[in-house]
Amino acid sequence: EAGVAQSPRYKIIEKRQSVAFWCNPISGHATLYWYQQILGQGPKLLIQFQNNGVVDDSQLPKDRFSAERLKGVDSTLKIQPAKLEDSAVYLCASSPTGGWEKLFFGSGTQLSVL
Amino acid sequence: RKEVEQDPGPFNVPEGATVAFNCTYSNSASQSFFWYRQDCRKEPKLLMSVYSSGNEDGRFTAQLNRASQYISLLIRDSKLSDSATYLCVVRDAGKSTFGDGTTLTVKP
């Protein structure tokens, strides 16, 4: 079974530039999550989709971050403009129904903002 | 106060030692609990779920105390390969909240 796919693996940009990350969840998984993990901290939920609808985006900095999941399959997360404090690993995860089951994570995108 | 709190460590133990990690959570309505393992520069992976009755998987034992809102993970006979960060995860209504993790280094 193919896992959660993410790209790019690494990205280096300057502050005020824009960046986009892509995620393809495990086939058939209805729920997709974007997490931000700053060095030394646990993953923090940015946004959760159920199919193509947003379930929770309460911690998404909406002035600069946006995400979409068109057609309820793959998803993109965008930052525009980036700040130094956005340097982190961005993890995408999926789960079958969004209930009590475990999360399957992709390998993440490591973003460095200079 | 953070929703999920863990002792950050680091824990440095010799091979063969027994080590225990603790985790407390603030939301009494939380319904499911997990321990994830994260290796350096890798994604988190599920280590084990935590059940009310306590559960064991080989050298790993997880326990839950709902009254005290406390979760623990015990590792017996530590191996070098157990070196990693262990993340406590509390799930409520489909939302997973992660602790900041406890780092374990097992030394020869």
Side-chain angles (χ1 to χ4, degrees):
Chain A
E1 175 182 86
V4 177
Q6 285 190 249
S7 67
R9 186 72 179 89
Y10 303 94
K11 190 74 178 178
I12 301 173
I13 61 172
E14 295 186 349
K15 61 183 179 182
R16 292 188 289 273
Q17 285 187 321
S18 301
V19 64
F21 313 127
W22 174 82
C23 172
N24 193 15
I26 292 173
S27 178
H29 280 196
T31 312
L32 185 148
Y33 312 79
W34 283 103
Y35 283 87
Q36 179 193 58
Q37 187 173 25
I38 293 171
L39 187 65
Q41 299 181 18
K44 183 184 83 172
L45 180 67
L46 292 175
I47 189 167
Q48 177 180 341
F49 292 95
Q50 186 73 16
N51 297 308
N52 61 347
V54 175
V55 173
D56 184 349
D57 64 356
S58 57
Q59 297 193 80
L60 187 73
K62 299 180 184 65
D63 57 333
R64 300 184 299 107
F65 286 64
S66 64
E68 59 182 12
R69 190 185 184 196
L70 300 176
K71 301 181 182 178
V73 182
D74 56 351
S75 175
T76 55
L77 175 69
K78 297 180 181 178
I79 308 175
Q80 179 179 11
K83 293 185 175 182
L84 297 177
E85 59 261 36
D86 298 332
S87 294
V89 176
Y90 291 83
L91 293 161
C92 179
S94 70
S95 65
T97 66
W100 314 119
E101 69 274 354
K102 70 177 184 179
L103 303 181
F104 295 82
F105 282 89
S107 54
T109 297
Q110 185 170 330
L111 173 67
S112 297
V113 182
L114 306 178
Chain B
R1 181 187 172 189
K2 289 186 177 180
E3 291 183 57
V4 179
E5 293 205 60
Q6 296 184 245
D7 182 347
F11 284 65
N12 297 306
V13 302
E15 274 188 289
T18 296
V19 61
F21 304 138
N22 302 318
C23 172
T24 57
Y25 60 96
S26 60
N27 183 358
S28 59
S30 299
Q31 298 189 340
S32 54
F33 309 89
F34 306 88
W35 284 100
Y36 277 70
R37 170 191 169 130
Q38 186 171 27
D39 293 296
C40 189
R41 300 184 184 279
K42 299 285 188 180
E43 72 274 19
K45 293 185 178 179
L46 180 68
L47 177 67
M48 58 196 304
S49 302
V50 186
Y51 303 122
S52 296
S53 55
N55 49 299
E56 188 174 308
D57 182 3
R59 298 181 292 108
F60 298 83
T61 301
Q63 292 195 316
L64 167 64
N65 184 322
R66 285 188 183 272
S68 301
Q69 295 180 203
Y70 167 94
I71 305 158
S72 66
L73 177 68
L74 183 76
I75 305 176
R76 291 181 299 277
D77 189 23
S78 298
K79 310 291 185 191
L80 296 177
S81 57
D82 294 334
S83 297
T85 297
Y86 291 83
L87 297 162
C88 174
V89 182
V90 174
R91 199 160 167 84
D92 172 46
K95 177 182 174 181
S96 293
T97 301
F98 285 75
D100 285 337
T102 299
T103 300
L104 172 66
T105 301
V106 182
K107 299 185 175 181

